[in-house]
Amino acid sequence: MNIKNIRLHTILFFIYVLTCFSPSFAQDGKMYPMEAPAESNAIPLNTGGVKNQPEKETWFKQWGDPMARNISHATLTPFLADPKIATGTSVIVAPGGAFMWLSMGNEGWEVAKALQERGINAFVLKYRVQPTKGSLEGFAKQMQERFAAAESDSSATNSPQWDISNPQEDAAAAYALINRRAKEWHVDKSKLGMIGFSAGAELTLQTALATDKIDLAFAGLIYGMMRKVDVPKSAPPLFAAIATDDFLFNGQFGLIQSWYNAGIPVEFHLYQNGGHGFGLGNPDRTSNTWFDAFIHWLEVNKLTTPVR
């Protein structure tokens, strides 16, 4: 990819962010503050805090979905399958949000409940994110400033521009915790995988590539970056899904080619439409079938037992 296309990709990313968070771009996407939910089942991962973070964790709603930002302490929330239908297959679910907020409803709890209903244990990872301004207005302005910086930076790439070591540590801690409590939670350690959305897909990708630390049974990347990566021979099977009208697609197939060249099973679904951030699905979009395709992929690869 040449510098012009790389720069355009990054600009499109920030246009998307501004569309989501600035009332001047999208009135229907206005943010509304909300009280933090109880999260009574959330288990602290005790991975530490976030440097240079003066703000407390706050929540807001956008398009009716609960979202969290200024997360300084990671947690893991189990959604355990009913023992009557439990398969032992388990999935760490990583919501997205540009590593600055987390879409906890659309890409976290809702996905976890859907997996739970299929007899799959799900664990929603609320990982640490970058500090943002305390007010929603300041947050929107911060996004605008990032957009301006990206627009003027000819060295921008389609790789993450920020340190994601905190989220990676959180993912590793979640994986270790699930393994420690595998018997209690009826987890089949040989069928423990991870699925992520947008930034969560990037976190899932980096976790899947870190095979010297974590041994995922499978990885699911939903509307994540499609760039080429170096894939170790020990990387897990990959399921990837994205829509052609997603700003992260941009006609790239490097990720799929990388897995294919490594000789590791890969399944790829390129949908006609769906945009970015569709979660389990939006009305009248072809991307809405990805979840059933993912479950079928798990079953065919004997990573779970079909629930009849």
Side-chain angles (χ1 to χ4, degrees):
M1 176 178 287
N2 60 41
I3 291 297
K4 181 178 179 181
N5 286 339
I6 287 173
R7 184 183 178 192
L8 175 61
H9 172 95
T10 305
I11 291 173
L12 288 173
F13 168 76
F14 283 99
I15 288 176
Y16 165 75
V17 170
L18 288 175
T19 301
C20 291
F21 290 93
S22 174
S24 64
F25 279 78
Q27 294 295 332
D28 60 347
K30 184 177 180 180
M31 297 178 292
Y32 298 91
M34 64 171 282
E35 293 293 327
E39 295 187 279
S40 57
N41 294 329
I43 302 171
L45 290 174
N46 300 317
T47 48
V50 174
K51 292 181 180 179
N52 302 316
Q53 172 57 282
E55 303 294 339
K56 295 182 179 180
E57 179 180 313
T58 57
W59 290 67
F60 63 95
K61 277 194 175 183
Q62 188 178 39
W63 295 297
D65 290 324
M67 305 191 185
R69 61 191 186 93
N70 289 329
I71 301 166
S72 296
H73 301 283
T75 65
L76 190 70
T77 301
F79 288 75
L80 302 179
D82 186 329
K84 294 180 181 179
I85 62 171
T87 64
T89 302
S90 304
V91 185
I92 300 170
V93 180
F99 296 108
M100 301 188 76
W101 72 93
L102 294 185
S103 181
M104 294 298 295
N106 184 46
E107 298 170 349
W109 302 327
E110 292 176 15
V111 174
K113 290 176 182 177
L115 289 166
Q116 184 183 42
E117 291 172 358
R118 299 296 189 104
I120 298 173
N121 298 316
F123 300 86
V124 177
L125 175 61
K126 188 173 78 173
Y127 53 88
R128 289 171 290 170
V129 294
Q130 294 181 349
T132 59
K133 300 295 184 181
S135 69
L136 291 179
E137 294 78 10
F139 184 32
K141 183 178 179 181
Q142 192 174 11
M143 295 298 96
Q144 292 173 345
E145 291 172 350
R146 285 208 171 187
F147 166 72
E151 187 176 11
S152 62
D153 184 5
S154 61
S155 65
T157 72
N158 68 332
S159 298
Q161 296 298 295
W162 316 293
D163 180 7
I164 64 169
S165 57
N166 280 349
Q168 288 178 289
E169 289 175 5
D170 298 338
Y175 178 84
L177 175 62
I178 296 169
N179 273 276
R180 285 198 303 271
R181 301 182 66 173
K183 185 176 181 179
E184 172 189 352
W185 287 336
H186 304 289
V187 168
D188 183 340
K189 294 182 181 181
S190 68
K191 296 180 180 178
L192 172 56
M194 185 170 179
I195 188 170
F197 302 78
S198 192
E202 180 63 27
L203 176 56
T204 299
L205 171 63
Q206 296 305 323
T207 304
L209 296 177
T211 55
D212 59 326
K213 300 177 181 178
I214 296 174
D215 185 20
L216 292 177
F218 56 88
L221 309 184
I222 313 303
Y223 42 85
M225 294 182 183
M226 297 298 296
R227 71 191 187 283
K228 291 181 179 180
V229 293
D230 293 326
V231 181
K233 294 296 183 181
S234 53
L238 176 71
F239 178 97
I242 199 167
T244 60
D245 56 353
D246 188 326
F247 68 95
L248 282 181
F249 173 54
N250 202 28
Q252 297 183 76
F253 299 92
L255 177 74
I256 310 306
Q257 188 69 50
S258 298
W259 241 262
Y260 176 79
N261 289 345
I264 301 170
V266 57
E267 174 122 346
F268 178 49
H269 292 258
L270 178 61
Y271 293 99
Q272 176 186 333
N273 52 42
H276 190 80
F278 49 75
L280 288 176
N282 289 322
D284 303 319
R285 299 292 187 270
T286 62
S287 57
N288 291 0
T289 62
W290 79 264
F291 184 77
D292 286 337
F294 175 65
I295 297 298
H296 181 65
W297 177 75
L298 290 175
E299 293 174 352
V300 170
N301 284 280
K302 303 186 185 306
L303 292 168
T304 187
T305 303
V307 177
R308 305 301 182 188

